Amino acid sequence: MTKKSLCVVTGTRAEYGLLRPVLQKLLQSAVIEPRLVVTGAHLAPEFGNTVSEIEADGMPIAARIPILKFGTGSPLATARTVSYTMERFTDYFSQNRPDAVLVLGDRYEIFAAGAAAALLEIPLAHISGGDVTAGAADDWFRHCLTKMASLHFPSCEVYARRLIRMGEDPAAVENVGGLGDENLRSLPLLSRAALAESIGFGLDRPYALVTYHPETAGGASPAAQFDALCAALERCGLAAVFTKANADAGGADINARIDAVCAARPGQYVAFTSMGVLRYLSAMKYCAVVAGNSSSGVVETPSLGVPCVNVGDRQKGRLLSANIICCAADEASVYAALQKALSPAFAAQARQAKSPYNGGDTSGRIVRRLEAFVQSPSLGKPKLFYDGPVPGWEKEGSR
């Protein structure tokens, strides 16, 4: 049997950490030949050259497509990067046409790669559609990818129903759960002592795991919001492990501030451009609180029962579990939320949280459906807008 080629695109450390088990299973497929294309922050020194993590996994890389020549400091830079990324991926797909393309999530470089595939009439499969994140442009990047894609892997039932309400055929929508949740259930996490040795930072006292990305919708000042978060952390007296911001407009300002606060408090704060999925999830397991506005705080902490303080509007609209406290991005609000999260009563509540993202063998389900997708006689045919009933509508009530 001749294998079908599937191009898988990754642009960030977080996204690769989620795609990793899917890629590992695709490499064992008798049906699919995966072609991993690495782009975006992975290839940028200022974001840690995280392609090295992919190389360390022994993952074959079909192509490396640098796109950040305009920088990441403004919406204009992002707009130019999207245009340039579409051009680069159009060239790549034209010269190395795959049978299908797989993308995950909601970032601008993934939107651009997906648009290039769609315009070239290459079938697109999409992981993590149906979410809502009102505080980031990622919200509409994600929904645009939904309309370009022919196969969908949402992470929970609410998001699956949302995709169907957007006109996607229920037969093309499979609720597989969250890949981050699967990582927590399947990866052998480090012990606290092994993690401390690995990162060179003492973890024998309560610490916060902090990730703060710019809000790219609504006009807020990322620097001012991050300063408020830092001031609240200092008032709490917590140690902190920071992971740096992504390649969105304003991320470089946040990262400069992270470097400054860590230099001012050696031994209390430490920062990493990328921890890698194993160390990051291990740090999440042992921390007193996850703070900031990363999607991992909302999606992955429930599985560990760890308190999470979700700051600002970047994740506004996502499904929330009982371990998560949302607050405004000002010092007083963040401080009050941290104090609540650190209380014994809330820690007990967090331990009882139930994750809506447990789909079982998420990566295996994705790969099996992809194998059927690439072999389908209807592969590449235009999809129709679905106007029928939404399965489970009665359960959804007035939502």
Side-chain angles (χ1 to χ4, degrees), residues 34-85:
R35 300 176 185 172
L36 180 61
V37 175
V38 177
T39 189
H42 281 308
L43 305 177
E46 62 270 33
F47 295 104
N49 272 329
T50 48
V51 66
S52 62
E53 296 176 14
I54 301 173
E55 294 167 337
D57 281 340
M59 199 70 69
I61 298 174
R64 302 165 195 243
I65 302 180
I67 58 170
L68 297 181
K69 72 174 190 175
F70 299 104
T72 60
S74 68
L76 177 59
T78 301
R80 286 175 170 160
T81 298
V82 168
S83 175
Y84 182 60
T85 303

Side-chain angles (χ1 to χ4, degrees), residues 120 164 271:
L120 292 171
I164 296 166

Side-chain angles (χ1 to χ4, degrees), residues 309-339:
V309 171
N310 177 52
V311 179
D313 289 338
R314 186 176 174 92
Q315 302 300 330
K316 185 177 181 180
R318 285 199 196 271
L319 197 60
L320 301 176
S321 297
N323 67 306
I324 297 165
I325 301 168
C326 294
C327 67
D330 62 81
E331 180 183 341
S333 298
V334 178
Y335 177 71
L338 286 170
Q339 290 291 94

Side-chain angles (χ1 to χ4, degrees), residues 87-382:
E87 180 182 348
R88 296 297 308 275
F89 273 85
T90 297
D91 290 344
Y92 176 77
F93 289 146
S94 298
Q95 296 162 18
N96 306 272
R97 186 180 179 91
D99 292 300
V101 173
L102 174 68
V103 295
L104 183 149
D106 46 29
R107 290 189 50 76
Y108 58 82
E109 68 271 26
I110 298 303
F111 162 75
L119 287 165
L120 292 171
E121 300 181 345
I122 301 171
L124 187 68
H126 182 213
I127 300 171
S128 292
D131 302 30
V132 169
T133 51
D138 297 0
D139 195 55
W140 61 266
F141 292 141
R142 184 188 311 109
H143 297 324
C144 286
L145 283 163
T146 289
K147 298 315 299 177
M148 293 186 280
S150 300
L151 180 63
H152 310 276
F153 298 111
S155 59
C156 63
E157 185 181 353
V158 170
Y159 299 163
R161 293 200 296 268
R162 186 174 288 141
L163 292 175
I164 296 166
R165 291 203 306 274
M166 291 172 66
E168 300 306 304
D169 185 345
V173 178
E174 183 169 350
N175 170 22
V176 295
L179 285 165
D181 180 271
E182 182 189 29
N183 276 338
L184 285 168
R185 288 183 283 105
S186 59
L187 279 175
L189 300 182
L190 299 173
S191 68
R192 184 189 289 262
L195 174 62
E197 182 178 358
S198 176
I199 66 175
F201 185 75
L203 300 175
D204 53 352
R205 53 185 164 166
Y207 68 92
L209 179 62
V210 184
T211 306
Y212 201 81
H213 300 302
E215 288 186 11
T216 52
S221 165
Q225 290 183 329
F226 180 76
D227 288 346
L229 170 58
C230 281
L233 283 170
E234 184 176 1
R235 284 176 64 185
C236 288
L238 280 172
V241 176
F242 291 88
T243 59
K244 291 190 175 181
N246 60 22
D248 285 341
D253 287 341
I254 290 174
N255 290 341
R257 281 169 159 75
I258 291 174
D259 288 338
V261 297
C262 289
R265 295 170 183 81
Q268 183 180 1
Y269 294 167
V270 67
F272 298 89
T273 303
S274 174
M275 296 184 76
V277 64
L278 179 61
R279 295 196 303 178
Y280 179 76
L281 293 179
S282 299
M284 182 182 289
K285 179 179 180 180
Y286 302 116
C287 72
V289 62
V290 172
N293 63 2
S294 170
S295 60
S296 63
V298 173
V299 175
E300 292 162 28
T301 59
S303 296
L304 290 174
V306 174
C308 172
V309 171
N310 177 52
V311 179
D313 289 338
R314 186 176 174 92
Q315 302 300 330
K316 185 177 181 180
R318 285 199 196 271
L319 197 60
L320 301 176
S321 297
N323 67 306
I324 297 165
I325 301 168
C326 294
C327 67
D330 62 81
E331 180 183 341
S333 298
V334 178
Y335 177 71
L338 286 170
Q339 290 291 94
K340 179 179 177 180
L342 294 168
S343 69
F346 190 83
Q349 175 180 318
R351 286 193 293 271
Q352 301 303 313
K354 302 296 183 184
S355 173
Y357 301 104
N358 186 342
D361 179 22
T362 296
S363 59
R365 295 174 66 185
I366 290 172
V367 169
R368 289 190 290 274
R369 188 62 185 270
L370 286 169
E371 289 175 333
F373 178 63
V374 298
Q375 296 179 92
S376 170
S378 63
L379 183 71
K381 292 185 179 178

